[in-house]
Amino acid sequence: MDAAQERRVRAVLALGGVPQADLLDGVQQVRLRLLERAASGREAPRDVSAWAAVVASNLAMDWHRAKRRQERLGERLAALRQPAHPSGEDTSVLSVAVAQGLDELPDAQRQVVVLRFYADLPVRSIAEQLGVPEGTVKSRLHTAVRALRARLHEDEVV
C-alpha cells in the first residue's frame, strides 16, 4: 500500500469507530490480509485501494461489534479534522451531530456511508467489494442519508 492508500485506510478505520491508538494495528491488519491473499494464490484485487478501504471498513465493523463506542465517535472525528481548515463553532456542532447520527445507523448503512462519502468510492466499487448489488448499496445510502438528514433537522443543526 502506498501513503495515500494508508491514509484512506486510516480514515475508514477511524470513521468506522476504531480509536486513534488502534489505527496502526488496523492498517497492519489490512496489509496482512493483502499479503495472505497473495500468498494463497488468489488473484490480486483489480482496485487495491478500494479493496483496502472495504477491508478496513469490515475491520472497523468487527471492532464496533466487540466494543461499545457511543459518544467517543465525535471525539475521534474531531481529531481527524485537518488543522489547515478553519474550525468554527458551527462546523464543530455539525461534525458532532453527524458523528452521533452515524453512530445510530445500522452497521450496513454506516459502512456504505463511510465508503461512499469518506473513502470516496463509487457505488459500483462498493457493491463489488461488498458482494451486493448496486441497488442494495444505493438503497442503504438513501435510507442512511434520509435518517442522517432527519437527525440533523431534529437536533436543529441545519
Side-chain angles (χ1 to χ4, degrees):
M1 285 190 318
D2 63 26
Q5 291 168 334
E6 182 176 328
R7 281 192 304 275
R8 178 186 254 183
V9 165
R10 283 176 177 269
V12 170
L13 289 169
L15 290 165
V18 177
Q20 293 290 327
D22 294 338
L23 291 181
L24 184 58
D25 290 339
V27 171
Q28 293 300 329
Q29 283 291 323
V30 172
R31 285 188 178 127
L32 179 63
R33 291 192 184 179
L34 184 59
L35 289 172
E36 288 172 342
R37 182 182 177 107
S40 71
R42 287 188 288 173
E43 179 179 326
R46 273 192 310 218
D47 184 350
V48 173
S49 185
W51 180 88
V54 170
V55 169
S57 177
N58 288 335
L59 287 172
M61 286 178 58
D62 291 345
W63 186 92
H64 176 70
R65 289 184 186 115
K67 304 275 184 183
R68 285 293 203 202
R69 62 182 189 81
Q70 296 286 351
E71 301 177 3
R72 291 177 17 200
L73 184 58
E75 295 171 14
R76 287 190 295 277
L77 286 174
L80 286 176
R81 271 198 319 241
Q82 299 278 342
H85 298 295
S87 60
E89 185 177 324
D90 291 343
T91 304
S92 296
V93 169
L94 182 59
S95 294
V96 170
V98 170
Q100 289 172 344
L102 278 172
D103 201 33
E104 293 175 0
L105 291 176
D107 290 343
Q109 289 178 10
R110 182 177 39 258
Q111 182 179 34
V112 295
V113 167
V114 168
L115 290 172
R116 178 68 188 104
F117 297 114
Y118 291 98
D120 199 29
L121 294 179
V123 170
R124 175 173 282 158
S125 292
I126 295 170
E128 288 174 0
Q129 296 297 324
L130 295 179
V132 298
E134 286 183 47
T136 300
V137 173
K138 290 177 184 178
S139 173
R140 288 176 184 172
L141 280 171
H142 175 77
T143 304
V145 168
R146 189 175 62 214
L148 286 172
R149 187 176 293 130
R151 165 70 189 239
L152 295 176
H153 285 294
E154 180 180 297
D155 292 347
E156 297 179 358
V157 176
V158 291

